[in-house]
DNA sequence: TGTACATCAGTGAACGCGCGTTCACTGATGTAC
DNA sequence: TGTACATCAGTGAACGCGCGTTCACTGATGTAC
């Protein structure tokens, strides 16, 4: 019988060992690489180098470079979802349901754009697949609430309908349209023609884009 | 005095030589590589291999791999602009100016989405920078009309204002908003959650997205 | 029109690079008696 | 409580790979006399 009862089938999560927690350290290094360089910069050898360990040591914790990259991506997705949740959390609740629902959708869009600008490398790691040999995405990782970014948006749009702001006939696929607009702008900002635009101007553009989406839906 | 008078400063464009036209052949090979693999697949050695020439032969025509990639990108941008022009050309002119202006904007958006779906590799080569060490974009290449994709869109939106469809107060940055929406949807389709959706469904989503943009602007 | 020569497109061979990944190992840890 | 042993995280060395790029060459072409 084991003291630390882990679900069968999963590798037991050790808390410390020779290095301390090499898996965690490699993951952190990978995240750092992604942060300034995007997904392609997540290089196994470089991660081990940063941690101060021999390259093949990584194979005790990740089956391949791809597996490390996937773990980094999960972390990035989770960070994005958390950023949204944080933006949602500061919203005042004492307002008419219609306004509140609208504010929630706006908060999600705003958080997405802010995340893209503040952490372009992580943003691209999380949301820009860029083929990589057809992806293998796996389920998008959740934030603290247990919902991923896309689910947060969908739920917010549902609330828009409940609050009577959005005609139910317009509901279908609305999250794709909203996502498209905000995602597109994010890319224009991080490596398109709007690159180099300062944060304030981007914020203002973002707000006007969200206005457009709101009106358009 | 030369028979073939080319503008001074530009390298004389030879029509044929040992290989015939190696530069053109390498470029075509590069385009083919981009077509099924995106920008990262534009590999100098592979292009020479396909053409049946030794790797370093490429250096007679391109200073570096980057230069080849840029040429391929130009071609992809030009192809996109042409697709838009083709879509514009089939529009009936005998309609009220307001309708015509609207139809032109729609045609551009539709062509963009169609191009993305029909040629995802070229689309990504043309419009997804993905850093590459901060890009070095150069001016976006023009179609037959001499305008690039973005200029075509901007001009169409200008006509929307002239036709009285769009409030001039709403004009500023409208092309960025429209571009964002369509570009975002294109990415969802080519390597996001909407990948694998069939052409008809994508077209319908695209039309509804454009509806949203039109209303929202 | 015919010969001599310069040009320069494509050759052949080789570099150094960093990458992902495999192998047999070693030595600190945690466990059983 | 002390010793013997098994585990397995991290080592050391090496692989093969394809890449971009450089070098000195050679031989067909187009040009000058």
């Amino acid at each position: 019988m084991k003291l630390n009862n882990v679900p069968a089938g999963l590798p037991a999560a050790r808390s410390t060992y020779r290095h301390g927690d090499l898996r965690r350290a490699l993951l952190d290094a990978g995240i750092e690489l992604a942060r300034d360089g995007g997904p392609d910069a997540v290089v196994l050898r470089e991660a081990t180098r940063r941690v101060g360990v021999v390259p093949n040591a990584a194979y005790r914790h990740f089956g391949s470079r791809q597996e490390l990259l996937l773990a980094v991506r999960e972390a990035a997705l989770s960070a994005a979802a958390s950023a949204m949740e944080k933006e949602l959390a500061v919203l005042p609740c004492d307002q008419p349901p219609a306004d509140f629902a609208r504010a929630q959708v706006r908060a999600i869009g705003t958080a997405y754009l802010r995340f893209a600008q503040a952490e372009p490398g992580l943003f691209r790691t999380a949301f820009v697949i860029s083929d990589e040999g057809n992806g293998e995405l796996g389920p998008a990782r959740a934030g603290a609430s247990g919902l991923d970014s896309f689910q947060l948006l969908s739920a917010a749009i549902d609330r828009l309908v409940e609050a009577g702001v959005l005609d139910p006939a317009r509901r279908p696929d609305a999250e794709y349209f909203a996502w498209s607009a905000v995602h597109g702008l994010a890319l224009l900002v991080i490596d398109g023609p709007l690159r180099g635009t300062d944060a304030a101007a981007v914020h203002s553009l973002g707000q006007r884009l969200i206005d457009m989406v709101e009106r358009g839906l």
Side-chain angles (χ1 to χ4, degrees), chain A residues 37-110:
Chain A
D40 292 351
V42 180
V43 167
L44 205 148
R45 285 185 96 106
E46 178 60 21
T48 59
R49 225 174 279 133
R50 296 201 171 189
V51 170
V53 113
V54 101
N56 50 1
Y59 288 85
R60 294 281 162 208
H61 303 280
F62 299 95
S64 66
R65 184 245 169 194
Q66 179 73 350
E67 222 170 81
L68 171 61
L69 175 56
L70 250 45
V72 170
R73 191 173 117 88
E74 296 272 289
L77 283 163
S78 177
S82 295
M84 290 178 171
E85 286 166 357
K86 230 164 269 171
E87 199 98 5
L88 285 172
V90 301
L91 251 40
C93 308
D94 53 348
Q95 49 184 328
D99 292 0
F100 190 42
R102 247 196 278 260
Q104 285 183 305
V105 172
R106 299 189 73 90
I108 287 171
T110 303

Side-chain angles (χ1 to χ4, degrees), chain A residues 123-177:
Chain A
F123 177 85
R124 283 182 32 233
T125 306
F127 299 114
V128 181
I129 312 294
S130 153
D131 85 331
E132 295 280 343
N134 55 14
E136 295 289 329
L137 316 92
R141 185 54 163 279
S145 72
L147 299 177
D148 66 46
S149 311
F150 197 74
Q151 292 170 325
L152 286 169
L153 174 63
S154 296
I157 296 184
D158 284 342
R159 270 174 254 131
L160 227 45
V161 176
E162 289 161 19
V165 179
L166 180 65
D167 179 353
R170 288 240 148 91
R171 175 64 187 81
D173 301 319
E175 58 269 56
Y176 291 115
F177 300 141

